[in-house]
């Protein structure tokens, strides 16, 4: 474990908590893409199947349980608890356009052709595009509340910190996980446009920000 | 390098 990966995991946790608490306290999920949250729950489900088969560390196990629980709680709030505030007219991204290529690629490009490895690869590729429905929804509604922007900022920051972690691990222990690195770079690139707008607008107190 | 199959990252 290194400081970059720890900071990344904390940024990820903060992002998930920001969104969950926003929905819970405002008792509304307006402007939130339920599809993205379902995809994230699917990412954690397919990536953390080894939760019961391999023990890495207490931190690793605890964080997996926390991420699974919080992501399913978020999906529950959106589709069950506060479903009448769910904005289904604007959450119209065709997720099959993401799932089909990701499933195909995870069968083509993986470390070993075993169910666990293919599911892990699927989760890595899916995570890189899981935010698309949310970004699409923001372009459709024309703006995002500032709290949603903070969520996106920490979510994008988490994988950017993981990239630094991978550089660090490559130079200190020769660790190189090609699938995770390539996918993580693609994922972070999707946020670049948002990062620019976030820094130039949201941090200047503009509150609402609209993606082009 | 260390084995990427050792999934020690979240």
């Amino acid at each position: 474990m290194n400081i970059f990966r720890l900071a990344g995991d904390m940024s990820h946790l903060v992002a998930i908590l920001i969104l969950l608490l926003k929905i819970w306290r405002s008792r509304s999920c307006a402007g939130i893409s339920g599809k993205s949250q379902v995809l994230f729950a699917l990412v954690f489900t397919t990536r953390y199947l080894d939760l019961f088969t391999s023990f890495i560390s207490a931190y690793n196990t605890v964080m997996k349980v926390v991420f699974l629980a919080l992501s399913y709680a978020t999906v529950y709030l959106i589709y069950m608890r506060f479903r009448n505030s769910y904005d289904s007219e604007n959450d119209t991204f065709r997720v099959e356009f993401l799932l089909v290529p990701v499933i195909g690629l995870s069968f083509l490009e993986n470390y070993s052709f075993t169910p666990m490895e293919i599911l892990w690869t699927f989760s890595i590729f899916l995570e890189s595009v899981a935010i698309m429905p949310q970004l699409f929804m923001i372009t459709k509604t024309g703006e995002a509340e500032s709290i949603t922007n903070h969520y996106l900022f920490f979510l994008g920051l988490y994988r950017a910190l993981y990239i630094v972690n991978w550089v660090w691990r490559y130079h200190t222990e020769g660790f190189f996980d090609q699938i995770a690195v390539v996918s993580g770079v693609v994922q972070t690139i999707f946020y670049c446009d948002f990062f620019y707008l976030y820094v130039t607008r949201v941090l200047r107190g503009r509150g609402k920000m609209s993606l082009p | 390098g260390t084995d990427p199959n050792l999934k020690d990252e979240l």
Side-chain angles (χ1 to χ4, degrees):
Chain A
M1 173 59 82
N2 59 64
I3 186 64
F4 306 110
R5 181 144 66 97
L6 184 61
D9 290 339
M10 291 306 107
S11 182
H12 197 183
L13 182 60
V14 163
I16 293 173
L17 285 172
I18 284 177
L19 188 70
L20 189 60
L21 290 175
K22 171 207 186 298
I23 296 173
W24 178 252
R25 294 204 355 227
S26 68
R27 310 187 74 71
S28 160
C29 56
I32 306 297
S33 165
K35 293 186 176 182
S36 277
Q37 297 312 312
V38 168
L39 292 179
F40 282 124
L42 185 59
V43 165
F44 291 134
T45 307
T46 52
R47 188 174 305 177
Y48 298 159
L49 293 172
D50 63 351
L51 184 60
F52 306 109
T53 57
S54 72
F55 179 79
I56 304 286
S57 69
Y59 171 82
N60 189 273
T61 302
V62 166
M63 290 302 282
K64 284 177 177 176
V65 170
V66 166
F67 282 161
L68 279 166
L70 294 181
S71 65
Y72 276 97
T74 304
V75 170
Y76 165 76
L77 289 187
I78 293 172
Y79 285 102
M80 314 281 262
R81 194 76 171 66
F82 303 123
R83 66 179 170 281
N84 47 20
S85 66
Y86 172 52
D87 188 4
S88 57
E89 295 80 47
N90 285 317
D91 191 11
T92 54
F93 193 94
R94 306 283 301 277
V95 289
E96 55 272 27
F97 290 169
L98 299 177
L99 289 170
V100 172
V102 161
I103 290 169
L105 195 59
S106 55
F107 275 92
L108 286 176
E109 179 65 37
N110 51 60
Y111 291 130
S112 68
F113 203 78
T114 61
M116 287 288 276
E117 199 60 36
I118 288 176
L119 283 169
W120 177 83
T121 308
F122 166 79
S123 85
I124 291 288
F125 291 150
L126 180 61
E127 185 185 7
S128 64
V129 294
I131 199 63
M132 293 320 260
Q134 180 65 66
L135 296 179
F136 177 77
M137 186 173 191
I138 290 175
T139 56
K140 243 190 124 179
T141 53
E143 66 180 13
E145 290 178 62
S146 68
I147 197 86
T148 309
N149 294 323
H150 297 319
Y151 160 71
L152 288 169
F153 172 74
F154 284 106
L155 196 60
L157 180 63
Y158 127 74
R159 215 60 179 172
L161 287 167
Y162 255 73
I163 292 172
V164 180
N165 150 66
W166 289 321
V167 172
W168 177 266
R169 290 190 74 179
Y170 180 73
H171 287 295
T172 53
E173 53 186 284
F175 173 89
F176 183 63
D177 181 341
Q178 183 180 354
I179 288 176
V181 168
V182 172
S183 183
V185 169
V186 167
Q187 177 173 338
T188 306
I189 288 172
F190 283 137
Y191 285 86
C192 285
D193 164 42
F194 168 77
F195 281 143
Y196 172 75
L197 290 165
Y198 182 80
V199 172
T200 56
R201 298 201 187 162
V202 176
L203 293 189
R204 290 198 178 145
R206 286 283 305 275
K208 302 244 186 238
M209 183 205 79
S210 58
L211 291 175
Chain B
T2 55
D3 174 13
N5 283 310
L6 172 77
K7 305 277 185 272
D8 64 341
E9 296 188 338
L10 289 175

